[in-house]
Structures are given as structure tokens and as C-alpha cells.
Amino acid sequence: MAMTQEVREPHMHAEAEYFTLPSGHKIPSVGLGTWRSGSDAAKSVFTAITKAGYRHVDTAKEYGVQEEIGEGLKAAMQAGIAREDLFITSKLWCSDLAPDRVKYALKNTLKELQLDYLDLYLVHWPFRLKDGAHRPPEAGEVLEFDMEGVWKEMENLVRDGLVKDIGVCNYTVKKLNRLLSFAQIKPSVCQMEMHPGWRNDKMLEACKKHGIHATAYSPLGSGERDLIHDPVVTRVANKVNRTPGQVLIKWAIQRGTSVIPKSSHEERINENIQSMQIRFCLNGLLFERKSRVRTELFWVNSLFFYKLQIFLISSPTSNHIISNIFDYLIFFVCNSSFHSYENNSNDLKSTNKVIHYQKIYPLKVKTQIMQHLTDLKFSMI
């Protein structure tokens, strides 16, 4: 990839530009997300690093762009950026969540990225899928997840010098506590969706309690109506004379989380990282008091109905299957197409026996259905 560009140093060298991980390594406060970056990935990465001053790039095998990311990283380093100044994150996909596949998956990722090591390697989701599984998975495609065995192999990657830090994505508090009960090297980072429409307070509190750094993906919101166009955000942005994106990023950083907003547009890439230069404090103006927040409920677009037919049997032999089904359903909700709608609902009900819930309806509220599902799962396991 032929790219030439004047290299720009990061906007700030102050301590505030980074968060310190439990390992002592530093993670940049603002990174470049690459989900759905497609054919623009190489150019976006190169531009972000050499022109905008980014030093953190977040990607994953499942995004399908690691080779393009690798080309962008290679070009940036050829332009004069030192590898040790970069912070590169990737993730272990669900089909590789078996102890004998962890190292192989990482080496394949390193090959695609054209790197010798990763700064951070994350378990992408806490459930295992069969190779080639459908979405949502069909019968027999959700497999038992040996969390302890996989984590031991993740720890070995650190000991072998292939990865500097390890962590998790999309974990619940219960699963995080389970991981911490046997981990010899505790996760340095827990990455999860966080923004004013989905604050994820319980997980953030759990991370702070255990000294785990939290990274927010989709910090600008998610779904068909993201928070960039939210009238509350717009009003606050106008009040402080900043863009909505900068307000949302600043909100996340003030909570003590790093962020990885995604964009392939040079103007937006620059705007996002310039949040670090902005000297303003929201001081509770935005979303910190529930009285100031309009609860946003997200419905799946009417074109995307999903027929739920879930059989849950509360028995010791099926606990991992129940857990994995719910984790994947939460994953499905997170990755569906949403639009905003206001409604109060309590459709999901649980019993101590068998649940046969079969009804075609729009999957409700990103904030609410995930809580319903989580609560229901915890009551069954």
C-alpha cells in the first residue's frame, strides 16, 4: 500500500492522555474502532495514526479487516511511527474459545496484522460457538465454554511475550466474578458498550472494584438513531460550544473509561481525538442525574422480527447451555438494527420449571431487554 503522509505527533503527551492498566502499561484514552470499516480500514488506520495522532487501534478477527488493518499499520510504521508507541488491540472470536485453539488464533491474528505481539488481546464474547454457526445459532451450535481452560491459555500468551495484556469483552458481573475466582493474571481491560443511553453502571462499578480498566465501544451511541443526533446531547454541545461527538467522548473519559469510536471519515476521526484537547468539564450537566435523562428504549426495526422459541430447563447439566443461549441472545440484541421508541414493558417472565416462550414481536429496549435477559438468566442458573 503506497501511502505517504507527514507524521503528526499525538496532540498531548500529558498523563491525562492515557489510563494506566493494572499491569503498569498505558492505554490511550481515545482509540480508533474498526468495526464495519470495510475496504477503508487501511486508509483510516494510516490517516488516524499519521495525521490525527492516534496511537490505539482496536480490531478483531470477526471484523474481517485485520489484513487491511495490518497494511495501515505497516504503512504508518514505514512513515516513522515506532511500534512501541502504538497500542494494538484484537479479540479472540467465539469459535476459537477452546484451550487448544487460543494460541493458533492469536498467531493468525498477528500474521494478518503483520505484528510480533499485541498490546491487548480480549475474549470477544463469553460463549463458544461451533465453526460456521448461524446467527442466531441453531440447535447444537452453542457449545460448552471452558472459561478456565481458555483463560489459562490467554495467560500463557502473556508469559510467552506474544501479548502484553489480556482482558474480556461483553462480560456480565457474574461471569467476571467467576473469571476472577481462578485467574492468576487478572484481566487488565473489560470492553463493553457504554454511552449515556446504555450506561452499564453495574459492570463499570464491578471493574472499578477489582481495579480493571473499562473501555467503551459505541461511545457515540448505537442503532439507527445514535446519540450524535439526540436533542439532549445537541443542547449540551451547543452550550459548551463543542460537537455532540466530543461531548459524548468527554462524558465517557470523565467516567474513567477509554473509548474507541469508529469512523472512516477523516474529519470525524480528527474531531474524535480532539476531545482530548478540550478543556471543559460536564459537571453533571449531561446524563449524570436520572431526572435529566429521557429513558431511551430501543426497538428492533419492524423489518427485523425474531421468533423466540426458548426452552430452558433448570438443571445442573444444562446450566452452561442456558447461560450460553442467553449470552448469545444478548449478543444478537446488541448487533441488531434499532430505532428509538418510548414504551414501558415487562414481557419476559420466568418460572422455576420449563419456559416455552414463542411469540413474534419486536425485541425490546436495548437497555431493558438486556436487563430482562440477564435477570432471567441469573434466576435460572
Side-chain angles (χ1 to χ4, degrees), residues 35 193-195 197-198 217-228 262 298 333-340 366:
W35 182 52
E193 179 175 353
M194 284 189 290
H195 48 72
W198 175 240
Y217 69 76
S218 298
L220 309 183
S222 60
E224 291 180 356
R225 179 174 175 268
D226 63 40
L227 294 175
I228 288 290
K262 61 183 181 68
F298 297 86
V333 172
C334 284
N335 288 274
S336 296
S337 179
F338 293 91
H339 67 274
S340 178
K366 178 170 281 193

Side-chain angles (χ1 to χ4, degrees), residues 67 106-115:
E67 290 185 353
L106 172 67
K107 287 190 172 182
N108 185 60
T109 284
L110 292 175
K111 180 180 179 180
E112 290 182 342
L113 294 174
Q114 303 183 53
L115 299 175

Side-chain angles (χ1 to χ4, degrees), residues 168-186:
V168 296
C169 293
N170 305 301
Y171 266 48
T172 61
V173 173
K174 184 172 182 179
K175 286 189 180 292
L176 181 62
N177 288 336
R178 181 185 168 198
L179 173 60
L180 292 172
S181 70
F182 54 72
Q184 295 182 17
I185 300 176
K186 75 176 184 179

Side-chain angles (χ1 to χ4, degrees), residues 35-234:
W35 182 52
R36 291 184 174 176
S37 55
S39 60
D40 293 327
K43 181 180 178 181
S44 297
V45 167
F46 180 78
T47 298
I49 294 173
T50 60
K51 186 173 182 180
Y54 281 74
R55 292 298 178 260
H56 181 194
V57 176
D58 177 275
T59 189
K61 171 188 174 180
E62 182 61 12
Y63 299 168
V65 294
Q66 287 193 148
E67 290 185 353
E68 290 79 4
I69 301 297
E71 289 298 319
L73 293 173
K74 179 181 178 181
M77 287 186 278
Q78 289 176 340
I81 302 297
R83 170 64 183 96
E84 56 268 25
D85 291 335
L86 297 174
F87 191 100
I88 311 301
T89 299
S90 190
K91 307 174 189 76
L92 179 68
W93 183 239
C94 302
S95 58
D96 291 319
L97 287 182
D100 61 345
R101 299 184 65 164
V102 173
K103 191 170 185 178
Y104 173 81
L106 172 67
K107 287 190 172 182
N108 185 60
T109 284
L110 292 175
K111 180 180 179 180
E112 290 182 342
L113 294 174
Q114 303 183 53
L115 299 175
D116 296 324
Y117 68 91
L118 286 181
D119 296 275
L120 179 63
Y121 199 38
L122 305 172
V123 174
H124 206 151
W125 286 89
F127 55 87
R128 184 184 172 200
L129 294 177
K130 185 178 180 180
D131 285 326
H134 295 80
R135 298 188 186 180
E138 297 180 351
E141 293 181 341
V142 179
L143 307 176
E144 184 170 2
F145 173 27
D146 180 4
M147 184 187 292
E148 184 171 1
V150 167
W151 192 254
K152 285 182 179 179
E153 291 303 314
M154 295 284 283
E155 292 173 332
N156 286 335
L157 299 179
V158 177
R159 298 185 182 104
D160 292 342
L162 297 173
V163 172
K164 287 189 174 182
D165 283 279
I166 50 178
V168 296
C169 293
N170 305 301
Y171 266 48
T172 61
V173 173
K174 184 172 182 179
K175 286 189 180 292
L176 181 62
N177 288 336
R178 181 185 168 198
L179 173 60
L180 292 172
S181 70
F182 54 72
Q184 295 182 17
I185 300 176
K186 75 176 184 179
S188 292
V189 173
C190 181
Q191 188 181 117
M192 57 194 128
E193 179 175 353
M194 284 189 290
H195 48 72
W198 175 240
R199 295 168 54 96
N200 227 332
D201 286 332
K202 289 185 178 180
M203 270 304 298
L204 181 58
E205 290 169 7
C207 288
K208 290 181 177 180
K209 175 183 176 181
H210 296 291
I212 300 169
H213 176 71
T215 295
Y217 69 76
S218 298
L220 309 183
S222 60
E224 291 180 356
R225 179 174 175 268
D226 63 40
L227 294 175
I228 288 290
H229 303 105
D230 186 275
V232 177
V233 178
T234 301

